[in-house]
Amino acid sequence: MAAVNIPAKETPPVALPGLARALMSVGKLSQEGAEAIYKKAQAGRTSFIAALIEGGHISSCELAHSVSSIFGAPLVDVEALDPLRLSRDLLDPKLCQAYGVVPLAKRSNRLIVATADPTHQEAAEKIKFSTQMGVDWVIADHEKLLRLVETTTKSTSESIDHIIGGDFEFGELQSEDGGAQEEAEAQGGEVEDAPIVKFLHKMLLDAFNMRASDLHFEPYEHHYRVRFRIDGELREIASPPVAIKEKLASRIKVISRLDISEKRVPQDGRMKLKVGPDRVIDFRVSTLPTLFGEKIVIRILDPSSAKMGIDALGYEPEEKERLLEAIHRPYGMILVTGPTGSGKTVSLYTCLNLLNKPGVNIATAEDPSEINLPGVNQVNVNERAGLTFAVALRAFLRQDPDIIMVGEIRDLETADIAIKAAQTGHLVLSTLHTNDAPTTLTRMRNMGIAPFNIASSVILITAQRLARRLCPQCKQPADIPHEALLDAGFREEEIDGSWVTYRPVGCAACNNGYKGRVGIYEVMPISEEIQRIILADGSALEIAAQARREGVRSLRQSGLHKAKMGLTSLEEVLAVTNE
């Protein structure tokens, strides 16, 4: 019987993935090689691209360039991206981990996604279904992309722990009425989150230790940042995940006794942090609704600043003498002017501390009270409840006061009551927002106060600024041209070579060459001649000219004097004063 030849059974062709076929089309892989890699990937339950690179057939970098060239898609270096600034709300982290992709941005109804394999149809369909947006691929190095996926899909807790740097011991955070954090959490248990608690405590303590005056917690669309104001300058300290913004805001609001459900209007509160057996730091909290969440600013209130003494504030001897003479007058009005953050409150409380004696009745109205001073009757203005500055002042006058301090004169009614109090045997201290001392008088005139009332009540005006103090360890003499000194405001006879200006350098002990701040003051007593100018409805220029004739230094002149003494730099004086 003749043998029958049975044809061998043909092996069905392997259904290669799109990436394999693309690489074969440009000669990067052979048919046999691609099939072998694909079978190995299936056996090892891994992706084709992972088996391709792990087998040493092509490097991750070369593959990214080839894929970008084949498909005409942009190539992006993901190592240059800041993971903390990438939005974590664009795509489910589980999808990112499953398909090795990272969403980079949203443009209209399209999502820009980084991938190493743009042929992965399942990934594209899942992303479209999840986001209801089209997908635009950009190509990235596979190995770098996997590291970025791992970083961006970490939990918020892990990210914050990384910022904090491990275990962190903290003191007892209290609300303004003294309740401990456990009591506050009972009202808002939903915000209890150990990493958030640690992060907030670390920021508060770091700010205090770095001598910051304010902390700014700022949410944006794709990132979140924390900045400290140190020596008058804002510095970025941390960039926590944007996902923490709601929990962090709620945590701060709970401790500050604010309404955590109200996110549409600004709120103000206070809290305390106990950092030792007998040391408590006070904080004033202000929230502000912004486009992408609530911005929170926390001001550090140091009660010891009011007890530093007048010499620590930086007054020159003649300025100090004028101020002390005015505050020991039995009646009249003393005004402190300057922008927000120029130290007006500290100056006023330093004066009150000098006047705070057992035989003196002192009452203050502020919005809100920043420094607690035992022996002084302090009232927080609450306009929503009807307790305005004017209402508080009227009440003070029925409380047998000797000295009254008004946080700020904002309107004619408050100014009118304050002036009447100054004219009827009370010493009144207050603040106004004006640029210098002479313009304060014309500002009061513009508010509608009669010249006679201004001239008969105001006894002294102090304008002030805070300039950064040069670091004594690293400051160096500055070589400033003669003409520049003249332009700055020095007189020809002053530039005699007997003194030298210094410039900031920077060292480990300071902040870019500066450490701390020093006050610059224009202390202007209201003399009889200035009273005559006020009564004649004179201008601020006339008042300023008369003040110079009487020996009152302008803010610029006072700043130049500080520069001559080597306390600050000429650049800093020019930056904080205007002439």
Side-chain angles (χ1 to χ4, degrees), residues 318-389:
E318 64 272 19
E319 296 168 344
K320 173 185 169 183
E321 185 181 342
R322 291 176 194 145
L323 181 61
L324 290 176
E325 182 186 348
I327 66 173
H328 286 103
R329 297 266 290 271
Y331 57 87
M333 178 181 283
I334 297 171
L335 295 171
V336 180
T337 76
T340 301
S342 60
K344 299 188 297 294
T345 301
V346 171
S347 293
L348 284 175
Y349 268 94
T350 301
C351 293
L352 289 180
N353 196 45
L354 293 171
L355 298 169
N356 189 15
K357 309 292 182 189
V360 179
N361 181 19
I362 303 176
T364 73
E366 299 169 84
D367 184 18
S369 296
E370 292 190 1
I371 299 172
N372 295 330
L373 198 60
V376 174
N377 305 292
Q378 296 172 274
V379 173
N380 269 339
V381 167
N382 186 344
E383 295 195 4
R384 214 180 300 177
L387 180 56
T388 63
F389 280 116

Side-chain angles (χ1 to χ4, degrees), residues 1 75 84 93 102 215 240 300 330 335 372 399 408 519:
M1 184 175 177
L75 181 66
L84 296 175
V102 173
L215 299 84
I300 299 176
L335 295 171
N372 295 330
Q399 293 272 320
E408 183 185 348

